[in-house]
Amino acid sequence: MTDGTPTGEGALNPAASAREIKALAHPLRLRILRLCGLHELTNKQLADRLGQDPGTMLYHVRQLLATEFLEPGEVRTGESGALEKPYRSTGRSWRLDTALDDAGSNGPLAPIDALREELAESGPHALASLSRFVLHLSKADADDLISRIYDVLREYTDTEASRTGEPAYGGMFVLHRSPD
């Protein structure tokens, strides 16, 4: 996930460490990663785009820099002639199905919250597909389903560079046990 979206060889396999999960346990940070995966953006550009105070944004950017999910881009001259320091996603991939207990109670829900915010911002016309389902699965069946879906996603993430001129689509696969 260049914006938190898996890319590259074996991209869906690495499990995030507890420190990385803590860095990713905030929906705003996940939105920063998504945006910086599409464009190099400055702290001010991110703050404006996401409706945040620049100081708050800088705090979150620093958390992502410290865990190497973001890196500084080349310093550039902005429209007003001032020097700007943009940030870009490093393209590091991660999987949030490990060490979730270390992320706190909101950690596992941060990606869902970020996606909900992105969907609300994009509007209902942007939704390409939505599937909600309930399946009775053994542990082996659940593992097989996850593996097969990751295989399909990997086919696309491994060839992402060949489609950079196409519209960007975001998505999420979540499989959870029903409380029933």
Side-chain angles (χ1 to χ4, degrees):
M1 299 184 216
T2 55
D3 53 354
T5 309
T7 60
E9 183 69 30
L12 292 165
N13 294 328
S17 70
R19 181 174 179 231
E20 292 165 336
I21 286 177
K22 286 180 184 178
L24 298 173
H26 196 287
L28 183 58
R29 292 185 202 140
L30 296 174
R31 296 195 67 203
I32 292 167
L33 283 177
R34 183 185 65 80
L35 290 172
C36 288
L38 297 171
H39 311 283
E40 287 191 1
L41 298 169
T42 66
N43 189 65
K44 177 159 180 14
Q45 289 170 323
L46 286 165
D48 290 347
R49 173 69 193 271
L50 297 171
Q52 298 291 317
D53 175 83
T56 300
M57 187 59 58
L58 185 58
Y59 170 80
H60 291 290
V61 165
R62 286 181 175 161
Q63 300 298 309
L64 294 168
L65 286 166
T67 51
E68 300 178 355
F69 285 109
L70 279 184
E71 64 186 4
E74 295 294 321
V75 175
R76 63 189 184 206
T77 303
E79 292 178 17
S80 67
L83 293 181
E84 296 180 337
K85 183 178 180 182
Y87 301 97
R88 65 177 166 251
S89 170
T90 60
R92 287 190 60 217
S93 60
W94 40 272
R95 197 178 71 223
L96 291 177
D97 60 357
T98 59
L100 289 174
D101 292 339
D102 295 330
S105 61
N106 291 329
L109 299 178
I112 294 168
D113 292 340
L115 180 63
R116 184 193 56 75
E117 291 170 11
E118 291 167 12
L119 288 172
E121 182 181 311
S122 297
H125 64 281
L127 192 61
S129 176
L130 175 66
S131 299
R132 175 108 167 114
F133 55 88
V134 175
L135 301 170
H136 291 89
L137 302 170
S138 68
K139 171 76 169 109
D141 288 340
D143 289 345
D144 180 59
L145 177 61
I146 291 167
S147 177
R148 291 170 65 189
I149 288 173
Y150 280 2
D151 286 345
V152 169
L153 290 173
R154 195 172 293 110
E155 287 178 39
Y156 286 90
T157 58
D158 286 350
T159 60
E160 171 64 12
S162 68
R163 295 184 307 280
T164 56
E166 299 297 329
Y169 283 79
M172 178 181 293
F173 170 69
V174 176
L175 187 67
H176 69 92
R177 274 195 73 168
S178 175
D180 301 334

